[in-house]
């Protein structure tokens, strides 16, 4: 049986943005269990500090605005100084604004794109050279089903997540020769603070009619890092089957419609 081209994780570091809570916190926990030292990076200082402390001595919290180049440099420096050469970068930080093409303000559209797309690009831009110097690595970009299909009323979010999907493929082409894999993850509705106000009925037409759990997304990320050694530029979908199609009767019932 051929040897798998996996990463050596022990004695190496990872950075997870948006790591203070929700999906990011679950990913940080999974990576710590894989043997990595993890920097939990977020704007939420109190929650981030608590999350990192709960993960033990192989995790630290660092404040990070993902649109800040100098902030990124400090976080990457701290990751390698505390835990060893960078092995994994997870771009999970994201914001959601409710607003369509007409109603969303220019300022908010730019903010969403800056955080969700530019922030991920900046992390890749600054982190790739470190991964290249270390001989291998994995970058995981947390996109969304909104990066695979359209949704009305969240124009900036959809644009940013489609952009992140494309950026993933461009980076995979550029970095594969250096042994660096780049993949995107596309969650559907996941039970996190971001979706706290969502109507639970939006999942009624899915084959699996429920919200997903952060731990389920984290397990997918763990698979990409540890097992998906021949995958790059790939899209990993975790959405309860939502993008497979919607069951018409259930969807209509959820919206109070009559067939």
């Amino acid at each position: 049986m051929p040897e798998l081209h996996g990463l050596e994780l022990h004695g190496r570091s990872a950075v997870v943005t948006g790591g203070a809570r929700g999906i990011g916190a679950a990913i940080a926990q999974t990576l710590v269990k894989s043997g990595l030292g993890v920097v939990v990076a977020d704007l939420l200082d109190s929650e981030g500090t608590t999350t990192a402390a709960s993960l033990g001595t192989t995790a630290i919290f660092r404040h990070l605005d993902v649109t800040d180049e100098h902030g990124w440099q400090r976080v990457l420096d701290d990751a390698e100084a505390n835990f060893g050469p960078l092995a994994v970068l997870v771009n999970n930080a994201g914001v959601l604004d409710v607003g369509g093409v007409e109603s969303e303000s220019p300022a908010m559209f730019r903010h969403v794109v800056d955080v969700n797309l530019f922030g991920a690009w900046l992390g890749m831009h600054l982190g790739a050279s470190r991964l290249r110097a270390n001989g291998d690595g994995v970058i995981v970009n947390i996109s969304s089903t909104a990066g695979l299909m359209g949704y009305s009323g969240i124009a900036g979010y959809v644009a940013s997540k489609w952009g992140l999907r494309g950026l993933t493929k461009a980076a995979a082409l550029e970095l594969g020769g250096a042994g660096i894999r780049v993949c995107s993850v596309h969650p559907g509705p996941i039970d996190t603070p971001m979706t706290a106000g969502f109507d639970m009925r939006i999942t009624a037409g899915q084959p699996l009619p429920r919200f997903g759990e952060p731990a389920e997304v984290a397990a997918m990320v763990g698979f990409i890092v540890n097992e998906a050694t021949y995958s790059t530029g790939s899209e990993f979908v975790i959405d309860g089957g939502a993008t497979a199609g919607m069951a018409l009767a259930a969807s209509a019932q959820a919206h109070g419609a009559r067939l």
Side-chain angles (χ1 to χ4, degrees):
M1 184 175 179
E3 181 181 353
L4 293 179
H5 296 263
L7 287 178
E8 176 55 53
L9 301 181
H10 292 274
R12 298 185 66 180
S13 62
V15 173
V16 180
T17 68
R21 62 185 187 180
I23 291 172
I27 291 171
Q29 182 179 49
T30 293
L31 296 182
V32 164
K33 289 179 179 178
S34 294
L36 288 158
V38 177
V39 176
V40 174
D42 208 305
L43 287 173
L44 302 174
D45 295 341
S46 178
E47 289 171 277
T49 300
T50 299
T51 294
S54 74
L55 299 178
T57 58
T58 54
I60 57 174
F61 171 74
R62 291 294 183 266
H63 182 91
L64 177 65
D65 174 352
V66 294
T67 67
D68 176 16
E69 180 177 354
H70 297 296
W72 263 112
Q73 292 283 23
R74 287 192 296 271
V75 164
L76 293 167
D77 286 345
D78 281 354
E80 296 198 320
N82 282 275
F83 302 122
L86 186 68
V88 176
L89 170 61
V90 181
N91 287 304
N92 169 71
V95 293
L96 171 65
D97 176 54
V98 177
V101 171
E102 293 179 284
S103 60
E104 190 170 24
S105 72
M108 186 51 70
F109 182 91
R110 284 194 171 189
H111 175 64
V112 171
V113 172
D114 277 351
V115 173
N116 296 0
L117 181 56
F118 174 70
W121 172 85
L122 192 54
M124 295 167 69
H125 174 68
L126 297 172
S129 61
R130 296 171 187 253
L131 297 174
R132 189 184 293 276
N134 298 331
D136 59 12
V138 179
I139 299 171
V140 182
N141 294 323
I142 308 300
S143 180
S144 167
T145 53
L148 299 170
M149 57 190 287
Y151 289 87
S152 63
I154 51 172
Y157 187 77
V158 170
S160 69
K161 294 301 186 178
W162 276 80
L164 187 55
R165 175 188 176 196
L167 180 62
T168 297
K169 294 184 183 301
L173 291 168
E174 295 174 11
L175 301 176
I180 302 166
R181 296 187 290 112
V182 190
C183 296
S184 59
V185 175
H186 298 262
I190 307 296
D191 186 14
T192 68
M194 182 182 284
T195 62
F198 286 21
D199 191 329
M200 297 295 287
R201 292 179 298 174
I202 65 172
T203 65
Q206 296 177 183
L208 302 179
R210 64 173 177 85
F211 275 59
E213 297 295 330
E216 292 175 301
V217 182
M220 180 74 81
V221 174
F223 171 76
I224 295 168
V225 170
N226 293 294
E227 306 294 338
T229 55
Y230 196 49
S231 294
T232 193
S234 307
E235 298 155 4
F236 291 82
V237 183
I238 178 165
D239 68 347
T243 54
M246 300 296 284
L248 183 58
S251 181
Q253 183 179 19
H255 291 87
R258 177 178 295 178
L259 295 176

